[in-house]
Coordinates of all heavy atoms in Angstrom, one line a residue:
M22 N 123.8 -26.8 3.8 CA 125.3 -26.3 3.8 C 126.2 -27.2 3.0 O 125.9 -28.3 3.1 CB 125.7 -26.2 5.3 CG 125.1 -25.3 6.1 SD 126.2 -23.9 6.4 CE 125.1 -22.6 6.0
S23 N 127.1 -26.7 2.4 CA 128.1 -27.5 1.6 C 129.3 -27.6 2.5 O 129.5 -27.0 3.5 CB 128.4 -26.7 0.2 OG 129.2 -25.6 0.5
S24 N 130.2 -28.5 2.0 CA 131.4 -28.9 2.8 C 132.3 -27.6 2.7 O 133.3 -27.6 3.5 CB 132.0 -30.1 2.1 OG 132.4 -30.0 0.9
D25 N 132.2 -26.7 1.8 CA 133.1 -25.6 1.6 C 132.9 -24.7 3.0 O 133.9 -24.1 3.4 CB 132.7 -24.7 0.6 CG 133.1 -25.5 -0.8 OD1 133.8 -26.5 -0.8 OD2 132.5 -25.2 -1.8
G26 N 131.7 -24.6 3.5 CA 131.5 -23.7 4.6 C 131.5 -24.4 5.9 O 131.2 -23.9 7.0
E27 N 132.1 -25.6 6.0 CA 132.1 -26.3 7.3 C 132.9 -25.6 8.4 O 132.5 -25.7 9.5 CB 132.7 -27.7 7.1 CG 131.8 -28.7 6.2 CD 132.4 -30.0 6.1 OE1 133.6 -30.3 6.4 OE2 131.7 -30.7 5.4
E28 N 134.0 -25.0 8.1 CA 134.8 -24.4 9.1 C 134.0 -23.1 9.7 O 134.2 -22.9 10.8 CB 136.1 -24.0 8.6 CG 137.1 -25.3 8.2 CD 136.8 -25.7 6.8 OE1 136.2 -25.0 6.0 OE2 137.1 -26.8 6.4
A29 N 133.4 -22.4 8.8 CA 132.7 -21.1 9.2 C 131.4 -21.4 10.0 O 131.0 -20.5 10.6 CB 132.6 -20.2 8.1
A30 N 130.9 -22.5 9.6 CA 129.5 -22.7 10.2 C 129.6 -23.5 11.4 O 129.3 -24.6 11.6 CB 128.7 -23.6 9.2
D31 N 130.0 -22.8 12.5 CA 130.1 -23.3 13.8 C 128.8 -23.6 14.6 O 128.6 -24.5 15.3 CB 131.0 -22.5 14.7 CG 132.5 -22.6 14.3 OD1 132.8 -23.7 13.6 OD2 133.2 -21.8 14.7
E32 N 127.9 -22.6 14.5 CA 126.7 -22.8 15.2 C 125.4 -23.0 14.5 O 124.4 -22.6 14.8 CB 126.5 -21.4 16.0 CG 127.7 -21.1 16.8 CD 128.0 -22.1 18.0 OE1 127.1 -22.7 18.5 OE2 129.2 -22.4 18.1
V33 N 125.6 -23.5 13.3 CA 124.4 -24.0 12.5 C 124.6 -25.5 12.0 O 125.7 -26.1 12.0 CB 124.1 -23.1 11.2 CG1 124.0 -21.7 11.6 CG2 125.4 -23.3 10.3
C34 N 123.5 -26.1 11.9 CA 123.5 -27.5 11.3 C 124.2 -27.7 10.0 O 123.7 -26.8 9.1 CB 122.1 -28.1 11.3 SG 121.8 -29.8 10.7
A35 N 125.1 -28.5 9.8 CA 125.7 -28.5 8.5 C 124.9 -29.1 7.3 O 125.2 -28.9 6.2 CB 127.0 -29.6 8.7
S36 N 123.7 -29.7 7.7 CA 122.9 -30.2 6.7 C 121.7 -29.2 6.3 O 121.6 -28.9 5.1 CB 122.2 -31.6 7.2 OG 121.5 -32.1 6.2
C37 N 121.0 -28.9 7.4 CA 119.8 -28.1 7.1 C 120.0 -26.5 7.3 O 119.2 -25.8 7.0 CB 118.5 -28.6 7.9 SG 118.7 -28.4 9.6
G38 N 121.1 -26.1 8.0 CA 121.3 -24.7 8.3 C 120.5 -24.0 9.5 O 120.7 -22.9 9.8
I39 N 119.9 -25.0 10.3 CA 119.2 -24.4 11.5 C 120.3 -24.0 12.4 O 121.2 -24.7 12.9 CB 118.3 -25.6 12.1 CG1 117.2 -25.8 11.1 CG2 117.7 -25.0 13.4 CD1 116.3 -26.9 11.7
A40 N 120.0 -22.8 12.9 CA 120.9 -22.2 14.1 C 120.6 -22.8 15.4 O 119.5 -23.1 15.7 CB 120.7 -20.6 14.1
E41 N 121.8 -22.8 16.2 CA 121.5 -23.3 17.6 C 120.9 -22.4 18.3 O 121.2 -21.1 18.3 CB 123.0 -23.6 18.1 CG 122.9 -24.3 19.6 CD 124.2 -24.8 20.0 OE1 125.2 -24.1 19.6 OE2 124.2 -25.8 20.7
G42 N 119.8 -22.8 19.1 CA 119.2 -21.8 19.9 C 118.7 -22.6 21.3 O 119.1 -23.7 21.7
D43 N 117.7 -21.9 22.0 CA 117.2 -22.5 23.1 C 116.5 -23.8 22.8 O 116.5 -24.7 23.6 CB 116.2 -21.6 23.9 CG 116.8 -20.3 24.3 OD1 118.1 -20.4 24.6 OD2 116.1 -19.2 24.4
D44 N 115.8 -23.9 21.7 CA 115.1 -25.2 21.4 C 115.7 -26.1 20.6 O 115.4 -27.3 20.4 CB 113.8 -24.9 20.8 CG 113.8 -24.0 19.5 OD1 114.9 -23.4 19.4 OD2 112.9 -24.0 18.7
V45 N 116.9 -25.7 19.9 CA 117.7 -26.6 19.2 C 119.1 -26.8 19.7 O 119.9 -25.8 19.9 CB 117.8 -26.0 17.7 CG1 118.8 -27.0 16.9 CG2 116.5 -26.0 17.1
K46 N 119.6 -28.0 20.1 CA 120.8 -28.2 20.6 C 121.6 -29.1 19.5 O 121.2 -30.2 19.1 CB 120.7 -29.1 21.9 CG 122.0 -29.6 22.5 CD 122.7 -28.4 23.2 CE 124.0 -29.0 23.8 NZ 125.0 -27.9 24.0
L47 N 122.7 -28.5 19.1 CA 123.5 -29.2 18.0 C 124.6 -30.1 18.6 O 125.1 -29.7 19.7 CB 124.2 -28.0 17.1 CG 123.3 -27.1 16.4 CD1 124.2 -26.0 15.8 CD2 122.4 -27.8 15.5
K48 N 124.7 -31.2 17.9 CA 125.7 -32.2 18.4 C 126.9 -32.2 17.4 O 126.7 -32.1 16.3 CB 125.0 -33.7 18.4 CG 123.9 -33.8 19.4 CD 123.3 -35.0 19.1 CE 121.8 -35.1 19.6 NZ 121.1 -36.4 19.3
K49 N 128.0 -32.2 18.1 CA 129.3 -32.3 17.2 C 129.4 -33.6 16.5 O 129.2 -34.6 17.2 CB 130.5 -31.9 18.1 CG 130.7 -30.4 18.4 CD 131.9 -30.3 19.2 CE 131.9 -29.5 20.5 NZ 133.2 -29.5 21.1
C50 N 130.1 -33.6 15.5 CA 130.6 -34.8 14.7 C 131.9 -35.2 15.4 O 132.5 -34.4 16.1 CB 130.8 -34.4 13.3 SG 131.3 -35.9 12.3
A51 N 132.2 -36.4 15.2 CA 133.5 -36.9 15.8 C 134.7 -36.1 15.4 O 135.6 -36.1 16.2 CB 133.7 -38.4 15.6
C52 N 134.7 -35.6 14.2 CA 135.8 -34.9 13.8 C 135.9 -33.4 14.2 O 136.9 -32.8 14.1 CB 135.8 -34.8 12.2 SG 134.5 -34.0 11.5
D53 N 134.8 -33.0 14.9 CA 134.8 -31.7 15.5 C 134.8 -30.6 14.5 O 135.1 -29.5 14.7 CB 135.9 -31.4 16.6 CG 135.5 -30.3 17.6 OD1 134.3 -30.2 17.7 OD2 136.5 -29.9 18.1
L54 N 134.5 -30.9 13.2 CA 134.4 -30.0 12.1 C 133.0 -29.4 11.9 O 132.8 -28.1 11.6 CB 134.9 -30.5 10.8 CG 136.4 -30.8 10.8 CD1 136.7 -31.5 9.3 CD2 137.1 -29.5 10.8
V55 N 132.0 -30.2 12.2 CA 130.6 -29.7 11.9 C 129.7 -30.2 13.0 O 130.0 -31.0 13.8 CB 130.2 -30.4 10.6 CG1 130.7 -29.7 9.3 CG2 130.1 -31.9 10.6
K56 N 128.5 -29.6 13.1 CA 127.5 -30.0 14.0 C 126.2 -30.2 13.4 O 125.9 -29.7 12.2 CB 127.2 -28.7 15.0 CG 128.5 -28.5 15.8 CD 128.2 -27.3 16.8 CE 129.3 -26.9 17.6 NZ 129.1 -25.8 18.4
Y57 N 125.5 -31.1 14.0 CA 124.1 -31.5 13.4 C 122.9 -31.3 14.4 O 123.2 -31.5 15.6 CB 124.1 -32.9 12.9 CG 125.2 -33.2 11.8 CD1 126.3 -33.9 12.2 CD2 124.8 -32.8 10.5 CE1 127.3 -34.1 11.2 CE2 125.9 -33.0 9.6 CZ 127.1 -33.7 9.9 OH 128.1 -33.8 9.0
C58 N 121.8 -31.0 14.0 CA 120.5 -30.8 14.8 C 119.9 -32.1 15.2 O 119.4 -32.2 16.3 CB 119.6 -29.8 14.2 SG 118.9 -30.5 12.7
N59 N 120.0 -33.1 14.3 CA 119.6 -34.4 14.7 C 120.2 -35.5 13.8 O 121.0 -35.2 12.9 CB 118.1 -34.5 14.6 CG 117.6 -34.2 13.0 OD1 118.3 -34.7 12.0 ND2 116.6 -33.4 12.9
D60 N 119.9 -36.8 14.0 CA 120.6 -38.0 13.4 C 120.2 -38.0 11.9 O 120.8 -38.4 11.1 CB 120.1 -39.3 14.1 CG 120.8 -39.5 15.4 OD1 121.7 -38.7 15.7 OD2 120.3 -40.2 16.2
G61 N 118.9 -37.4 11.6 CA 118.5 -37.5 10.2 C 119.4 -36.5 9.4 O 119.9 -37.0 8.2
C62 N 119.7 -35.3 9.9 CA 120.5 -34.4 9.2 C 121.9 -34.9 9.0 O 122.6 -34.9 8.1 CB 120.6 -33.1 9.9 SG 119.1 -32.1 9.6
R63 N 122.4 -35.6 10.1 CA 123.8 -36.3 10.0 C 123.9 -37.3 8.9 O 124.8 -37.4 8.1 CB 124.0 -36.9 11.4 CG 125.4 -37.6 11.5 CD 125.8 -38.0 12.8 NE 124.8 -39.1 13.3 CZ 124.7 -40.3 13.1 NH1 125.7 -40.8 12.3 NH2 123.8 -41.0 13.5
E64 N 122.8 -38.2 8.8 CA 122.8 -39.2 7.8 C 122.7 -38.5 6.4 O 123.3 -39.1 5.4 CB 121.6 -40.2 8.0 CG 121.9 -41.0 9.1 CD 122.9 -41.9 9.1 OE1 123.4 -42.4 7.9 OE2 123.7 -42.2 10.1
L65 N 121.9 -37.5 6.3 CA 121.9 -36.9 4.9 C 123.1 -36.2 4.5 O 123.5 -36.2 3.2 CB 120.8 -35.8 5.0 CG 119.2 -36.3 4.8 CD1 118.3 -35.1 5.0 CD2 119.0 -37.0 3.5
H66 N 123.9 -35.7 5.4 CA 125.1 -34.9 5.1 C 126.3 -35.9 5.1 O 127.4 -35.5 4.6 CB 125.3 -33.7 6.2 CG 126.4 -32.8 5.8 ND1 127.5 -32.8 6.5 CD2 126.5 -31.9 4.8 CE1 128.3 -31.8 6.0 NE2 127.7 -31.3 5.0
R67 N 126.1 -37.1 5.6 CA 127.4 -37.9 5.6 C 128.0 -38.1 4.3 O 129.3 -38.1 4.3 CB 126.7 -39.4 6.1 CG 127.9 -40.4 6.4 CD 128.8 -40.1 7.5 NE 129.9 -40.9 7.8 CZ 130.9 -40.6 8.4 NH1 131.0 -39.6 9.0 NH2 132.0 -41.5 8.4
P68 N 127.5 -38.5 3.2 CA 128.2 -38.6 1.9 C 129.1 -37.4 1.7 O 130.1 -37.6 1.1 CB 127.1 -38.8 0.9 CG 126.0 -39.4 1.6 CD 125.9 -38.7 3.0
E69 N 128.5 -36.3 1.9 CA 129.3 -35.1 1.6 C 130.6 -34.8 2.5 O 131.5 -34.4 2.1 CB 128.3 -33.8 1.7 CG 128.1 -33.0 0.5 CD 127.3 -31.9 0.9 OE1 127.8 -30.8 1.2 OE2 126.1 -32.0 0.7
H70 N 130.2 -35.2 3.8 CA 131.2 -34.9 4.8 C 132.2 -36.1 5.2 O 133.2 -36.0 5.8 CB 130.5 -34.6 6.1 CG 131.3 -34.3 7.3 ND1 132.2 -33.3 7.4 CD2 131.3 -35.1 8.4 CE1 132.8 -33.4 8.5 NE2 132.2 -34.6 9.3
E71 N 132.0 -37.2 4.6 CA 132.7 -38.5 5.1 C 134.2 -38.3 4.7 O 135.0 -38.7 5.7 CB 132.2 -39.7 4.3 CG 132.6 -40.9 4.8 CD 132.0 -42.2 4.2 OE1 131.3 -42.0 3.2 OE2 132.1 -43.2 4.8
G72 N 134.7 -37.8 3.6 CA 136.1 -37.7 3.3 C 136.8 -36.8 4.3 O 137.9 -37.2 4.8
A73 N 136.3 -35.6 4.6 CA 136.9 -34.7 5.5 C 136.9 -35.2 6.9 O 137.8 -35.0 7.6 CB 136.2 -33.3 5.4
C74 N 135.8 -35.9 7.3 CA 135.6 -36.5 8.6 C 136.7 -37.5 8.9 O 137.4 -37.5 9.9 CB 134.2 -37.0 8.7 SG 133.9 -37.6 10.4
K75 N 136.9 -38.5 7.9 CA 137.9 -39.6 8.1 C 139.3 -39.0 8.2 O 140.1 -39.5 9.1 CB 137.8 -40.5 7.0 CG 136.7 -41.5 7.1 CD 136.6 -42.5 6.0 CE 135.5 -43.4 6.2 NZ 135.4 -44.5 5.1
K76 N 139.6 -38.0 7.4 CA 140.9 -37.4 7.4 C 141.2 -36.8 8.8 O 142.3 -36.8 9.3 CB 141.0 -36.3 6.3 CG 142.4 -35.9 6.0 CD 142.5 -34.8 5.0 CE 142.2 -35.4 3.5 NZ 142.4 -34.5 2.4
K77 N 140.3 -35.9 9.2 CA 140.4 -35.2 10.5 C 140.4 -36.2 11.7 O 141.2 -36.0 12.7 CB 139.2 -34.2 10.7 CG 139.3 -33.4 12.0 CD 140.4 -32.4 12.1 CE 140.1 -31.6 13.4 NZ 141.1 -30.5 13.5
T78 N 139.5 -37.1 11.8 CA 139.7 -38.1 13.0 C 141.0 -38.9 12.8 O 141.5 -39.3 13.9 CB 138.4 -39.1 13.0 OG1 138.3 -39.7 11.7 CG2 137.2 -38.4 13.2
A79 N 141.6 -39.2 11.8 CA 142.8 -39.9 11.6 C 143.8 -38.9 12.2 O 144.8 -39.4 12.9 CB 143.2 -40.3 10.1
K80 N 143.8 -37.6 11.9 CA 144.8 -36.7 12.5 C 144.7 -36.6 13.9 O 145.7 -36.6 14.6 CB 144.5 -35.3 11.7 CG 145.7 -34.4 12.1 CD 145.4 -33.1 11.6 CE 146.1 -32.9 10.2 NZ 146.0 -31.5 9.8
I81 N 143.5 -36.7 14.4 CA 143.2 -36.5 15.9 C 143.9 -37.8 16.6 O 144.5 -37.7 17.6 CB 141.8 -36.3 16.2 CG1 141.3 -34.9 15.7 CG2 141.5 -36.5 17.7 CD1 139.8 -34.8 15.8
R82 N 143.5 -39.0 16.0 CA 144.0 -40.3 16.5 C 145.5 -40.3 16.5 O 146.2 -40.7 17.5 CB 143.5 -41.5 15.6 CG 143.9 -42.8 16.1 CD 143.5 -43.8 15.1 NE 144.3 -44.9 14.9 CZ 145.4 -44.6 14.2 NH1 145.9 -43.7 13.5 NH2 146.3 -45.8 14.1
D83 N 146.2 -39.8 15.5 CA 147.7 -39.8 15.3 C 148.3 -39.0 16.5 O 149.2 -39.3 17.0 CB 148.1 -39.4 14.1 CG 147.9 -40.5 12.9 OD1 147.6 -41.6 13.3 OD2 148.0 -40.1 11.8
V84 N 147.6 -37.8 16.7 CA 148.2 -36.8 17.7 C 148.0 -37.4 19.0 O 149.0 -37.4 19.8 CB 147.4 -35.5 17.6 CG1 147.7 -34.7 18.8 CG2 147.8 -34.7 16.4
L85 N 146.9 -38.2 19.3 CA 146.8 -38.8 20.6 C 147.7 -39.9 20.8 O 148.1 -40.1 22.0 CB 145.3 -39.2 20.7 CG 144.3 -38.1 20.9 CD1 142.9 -38.7 20.9 CD2 144.4 -37.3 22.2
L86 N 147.9 -40.7 19.8 CA 148.8 -41.9 19.9 C 150.3 -41.6 19.9 O 151.0 -42.2 20.6 CB 148.5 -42.9 18.8 CG 147.2 -43.6 18.9 CD1 147.0 -44.5 17.7 CD2 147.1 -44.6 20.1
F87 N 150.7 -40.6 19.0 CA 152.1 -40.5 18.8 C 152.8 -39.3 19.4 O 153.9 -39.1 19.3 CB 152.5 -40.6 17.4 CG 151.9 -41.8 16.7 CD1 151.0 -41.9 15.8 CD2 152.4 -43.1 17.1 CE1 150.5 -43.0 15.2 CE2 152.1 -44.3 16.6 CZ 151.0 -44.3 15.5
T88 N 152.0 -38.6 20.3 CA 152.7 -37.4 21.0 C 153.1 -37.8 22.3 O 152.4 -38.3 23.1 CB 151.5 -36.2 21.1 OG1 151.1 -35.9 19.9 CG2 152.2 -34.9 21.8
Q89 N 154.4 -37.6 22.5 CA 155.1 -38.0 23.8 C 154.8 -36.9 24.8 O 154.9 -35.9 24.7 CB 156.6 -38.1 23.6 CG 156.9 -39.3 22.7 CD 156.6 -40.6 23.3 OE1 156.8 -40.7 24.5 NE2 156.2 -41.4 22.4
P90 N 154.6 -37.4 26.1 CA 154.1 -36.5 27.2 C 155.5 -35.9 27.7 O 156.6 -36.4 27.3 CB 153.6 -37.4 28.2 CG 154.1 -38.7 28.0 CD 154.3 -38.8 26.4
E91 N 155.4 -34.7 28.2 CA 156.7 -34.0 28.7 C 157.3 -34.8 29.7 O 158.5 -35.1 29.8 CB 156.3 -32.7 29.4 CG 155.7 -31.7 28.3 CD 156.9 -31.2 27.3 OE1 158.0 -31.0 27.7 OE2 156.5 -31.1 26.1
M92 N 156.5 -35.4 30.7 CA 157.1 -36.3 31.8 C 156.2 -37.3 32.2 O 154.9 -37.0 32.3 CB 157.5 -35.3 33.0 CG 158.0 -36.2 34.2 SD 159.6 -36.7 33.8 CE 160.6 -36.0 35.0
S93 N 156.5 -38.5 32.5 CA 155.6 -39.5 32.9 C 155.6 -39.6 34.4 O 156.5 -39.4 35.1 CB 156.1 -40.8 32.3 OG 155.3 -41.9 32.8
H94 N 154.5 -39.9 35.0 CA 154.4 -40.2 36.4 C 155.0 -41.7 36.8 O 155.3 -41.9 37.9 CB 152.9 -40.2 36.8 CG 152.1 -41.3 36.3 ND1 151.7 -41.4 35.0 CD2 151.7 -42.4 36.9 CE1 151.0 -42.5 34.9 NE2 151.0 -43.2 36.0
L95 N 155.3 -42.3 35.7 CA 155.8 -43.7 36.0 C 157.4 -43.6 36.1 O 157.8 -44.7 36.6 CB 155.6 -44.6 34.9 CG 154.0 -44.8 34.6 CD1 153.7 -45.7 33.4 CD2 153.3 -45.5 35.9
G96 N 158.1 -42.6 35.8 CA 159.5 -42.5 36.0 C 160.1 -41.9 34.6 O 159.5 -41.6 33.7
E97 N 161.4 -41.9 34.7 CA 162.2 -41.3 33.7 C 162.6 -42.3 32.5 O 162.6 -41.9 31.3 CB 163.4 -40.7 34.2 CG 163.1 -39.5 35.2 CD 164.3 -39.0 35.8 OE1 165.5 -39.4 35.5 OE2 164.2 -38.2 36.7
C98 N 162.8 -43.5 32.8 CA 163.2 -44.5 31.7 C 162.0 -44.9 30.9 O 161.1 -45.4 31.5 CB 163.9 -45.6 32.4 SG 164.5 -46.9 31.3
P99 N 162.0 -44.8 29.6 CA 160.9 -45.1 28.8 C 160.7 -46.7 28.7 O 159.7 -47.1 28.3 CB 161.2 -44.5 27.4 CG 162.6 -44.4 27.5 CD 163.1 -44.1 28.8
I100 N 161.8 -47.4 29.0 CA 161.6 -48.9 29.0 C 161.2 -49.5 30.2 O 160.1 -50.3 30.2 CB 163.0 -49.5 28.6 CG1 163.4 -48.9 27.2 CG2 163.0 -50.9 28.6 CD1 164.8 -49.3 26.7
C101 N 161.7 -49.2 31.3 CA 161.3 -49.9 32.5 C 160.5 -48.9 33.5 O 160.0 -49.4 34.5 CB 162.7 -50.3 33.4 SG 163.6 -48.9 33.9
C102 N 160.4 -47.7 33.2 CA 159.6 -46.7 33.9 C 160.1 -46.6 35.3 O 159.4 -46.1 36.3 CB 158.1 -47.1 33.9 SG 157.4 -47.2 32.3
L103 N 161.3 -46.7 35.5 CA 162.1 -46.4 36.8 C 162.8 -45.1 36.7 O 163.4 -44.9 35.6 CB 162.8 -47.6 37.2 CG 162.2 -48.9 37.5 CD1 163.2 -50.0 37.7 CD2 161.2 -48.8 38.6
P104 N 163.0 -44.4 37.8 CA 163.8 -43.2 37.7 C 165.3 -43.5 37.4 O 165.8 -44.6 38.0 CB 163.7 -42.6 39.1 CG 162.6 -43.4 39.8 CD 162.3 -44.6 39.1
N105 N 165.9 -42.7 36.7 CA 167.4 -42.9 36.5 C 168.1 -42.5 37.8 O 167.6 -41.6 38.5 CB 167.8 -42.0 35.3 CG 167.2 -42.5 34.0 OD1 167.1 -43.7 33.8 ND2 167.1 -41.6 33.1
P106 N 169.3 -43.2 38.0 CA 170.0 -42.8 39.2 C 170.5 -41.4 39.2 O 170.8 -41.0 38.1 CB 171.1 -43.9 39.3 CG 171.3 -44.3 37.9 CD 169.9 -44.2 37.2
L107 N 170.6 -40.8 40.4 CA 171.0 -39.4 40.5 C 172.5 -39.3 40.3 O 173.0 -38.4 39.6 CB 170.5 -38.8 41.7 CG 169.0 -38.7 41.9 CD1 168.6 -38.1 43.4 CD2 168.3 -37.8 40.9
D108 N 173.3 -40.3 41.0 CA 174.7 -40.1 40.8 C 175.3 -41.5 40.1 O 175.0 -42.5 40.6 CB 175.2 -40.2 42.3 CG 176.6 -39.9 42.4 OD1 177.4 -39.9 41.2 OD2 177.2 -39.9 43.5
E109 N 175.8 -41.3 39.0 CA 176.2 -42.4 38.1 C 177.4 -43.1 38.7 O 177.6 -44.2 38.4 CB 176.5 -41.8 36.7 CG 175.3 -41.4 36.0 CD 175.6 -40.9 34.6 OE1 176.7 -41.0 34.1 OE2 174.6 -40.3 33.9
T110 N 178.2 -42.4 39.6 CA 179.3 -43.1 40.1 C 178.8 -44.1 41.2 O 179.6 -45.1 41.3 CB 180.3 -42.1 40.9 OG1 179.5 -41.4 41.8 CG2 180.8 -41.0 39.8
K111 N 177.7 -44.1 41.8 CA 177.1 -45.0 42.7 C 176.4 -46.1 42.1 O 176.1 -47.0 42.8 CB 176.2 -44.2 43.7 CG 177.0 -43.2 44.6 CD 176.1 -42.6 45.6 CE 176.9 -41.5 46.4 NZ 176.0 -40.9 47.4
S112 N 176.1 -46.0 40.9 CA 175.4 -47.0 40.1 C 176.3 -48.1 39.7 O 177.4 -47.7 39.1 CB 174.7 -46.4 39.1 OG 174.0 -47.6 38.3
G113 N 176.0 -49.3 39.9 CA 176.8 -50.4 39.5 C 176.5 -50.9 38.2 O 177.3 -51.8 37.7
H114 N 175.6 -50.4 37.5 CA 175.1 -50.9 36.2 C 175.8 -50.3 35.1 O 175.7 -50.7 33.9 CB 173.7 -50.8 36.0 CG 172.8 -51.4 37.1 ND1 172.9 -52.7 37.5 CD2 171.8 -51.0 37.9 CE1 172.2 -53.1 38.5 NE2 171.4 -52.1 38.7
L115 N 176.5 -49.2 35.2 CA 177.1 -48.4 34.2 C 178.4 -48.8 33.9 O 179.3 -49.1 34.3 CB 177.0 -46.9 34.4 CG 175.6 -46.4 34.4 CD1 175.5 -44.9 34.8 CD2 174.7 -46.6 33.1

């Protein structure tokens, strides 16, 4: 298989083209773009796939690192992780 068909080839080995079945279990690459039937096929296909793999894993890493959660279980303040006071007139810090 070539790198052009990586997105469409979900259920076949990216190197040798063997389809996933009862006797063949395909393993996903870290980038989640391709699958391989064994480590030998992964090593053979690595030079072709390395650029796309690095780009995709960097994007996944950035999303995981830099996406802010909706709400933290630690509190509302991003600095001290304490809840903000409900009534500002009762707070002596403002």
Side-chain angles (χ1 to χ4, degrees):
M22 290 258 129
S23 69
S24 60
D25 297 337
E27 287 176 0
E28 296 85 15
D31 287 341
E32 302 303 320
V33 296
C34 176
S36 182
C37 66
I39 292 177
E41 184 171 34
D43 294 335
D44 57 339
V45 177
K46 178 72 174 154
L47 299 177
K48 298 176 201 168
K49 287 190 224 178
C50 182
C52 66
D53 206 21
L54 291 174
V55 296
K56 296 180 181 181
Y57 299 106
C58 61
N59 61 42
D60 290 339
C62 281
R63 183 177 52 87
E64 290 298 320
L65 283 173
H66 190 250
R67 183 75 185 157
E69 244 180 89
H70 175 63
E71 190 169 14
C74 186
K75 284 184 179 182
K76 190 181 290 186
K77 177 70 174 187
T78 52
K80 183 184 270 187
I81 291 170
R82 181 187 140 283
D83 288 347
V84 167
L85 291 174
L86 283 177
F87 301 116
T88 301
Q89 294 292 321
E91 293 294 322
M92 178 68 120
S93 172
H94 70 284
L95 300 174
E97 297 173 3
C98 178
I100 297 170
C101 64
C102 298
L103 295 175
N105 291 328
L107 296 176
D108 188 0
E109 292 180 7
T110 60
K111 294 181 181 179
S112 176
H114 301 307
L115 297 176

